Amino acid sequence: MADRLKALEKFILLTLGAIDRPISILHLEKEVFLLWNFHPDIHNYLNFIKHYKGPYSEEISKIIHHPFYLNNCWEYQPPINSSDLGGGYVELTDAGRLEYRKFYSDAKGIESLLPLLSGIKMVRELYDNLSSEELLLLIYSTYPEYTEFSKIYKGIERKKKQLAKNLLDNGVIDDRRFEEIIAG
């Protein structure tokens, strides 16, 4: 249990540090979900359930709010208003940046971690710039089973054409994926 928790906290640290800027809780959780789907080794550390904003991980929530091993490495800032889909923001502290650099340097020396490190950076670069609704549209259209308990899916569904057009215009998706999303 202790090794699992420590590894998960380090994974969150790697995700936060890959692009050193604040990230919404929604983006962090959904980006980790995407990594979880593409890197099966992560399945040993996290679980995702169907929830009112799509895939949800209780482990991520607990770690962000109450880290056990990496205290003072990141700060959570609650949302300014309750209608904020993002759920607040998390960002590295100076101590977290230092810890990230040390851990990243060590991790780069482990060949089996190189694809994961590259994947984390790519996911952050691609998805951080999306709005919460655009990110959720991609999640819901790729993993429709996670719409089951969603309280916001219908609103996103009503806006899907415009959201998909934004994704197309910004080069996040191609024409084929645009048509797939619109066809639903």
Side-chain angles (χ1 to χ4, degrees), residues 12 18 21 32 41-42 54 63 92 101 107 114 122 131 162 169:
I12 296 298
R21 63 178 170 234
V32 168
D41 293 341
I42 301 171
I63 284 171
L92 289 177
R101 284 191 292 273
L114 294 178
M122 284 189 322
S131 72
Q162 182 57 53
D169 291 347

Side-chain angles (χ1 to χ4, degrees), residues 120-131:
I120 291 169
K121 188 163 181 74
M122 284 189 322
V123 164
R124 289 282 319 264
E125 287 174 343
L126 182 61
Y127 297 109
D128 273 12
N129 295 320
L130 303 181
S131 72

Side-chain angles (χ1 to χ4, degrees), residues 17 32 43 56 60 64 71 77 104 120 141 151 153 175 180:
V32 168
H43 285 241
Y56 170 77
I60 292 174
I64 291 302
N71 286 323
Q77 299 182 359
Y104 182 80
I120 291 169
S141 63
K151 293 182 179 180
Y153 171 69
D175 290 326
E180 287 174 356

Side-chain angles (χ1 to χ4, degrees), residues 136-153:
L136 285 168
L137 175 65
L138 288 174
I139 296 285
Y140 290 149
S141 63
T142 307
Y143 304 96
E145 65 273 22
Y146 285 94
T147 64
E148 185 177 354
F149 299 123
S150 176
K151 293 182 179 180
I152 54 178
Y153 171 69

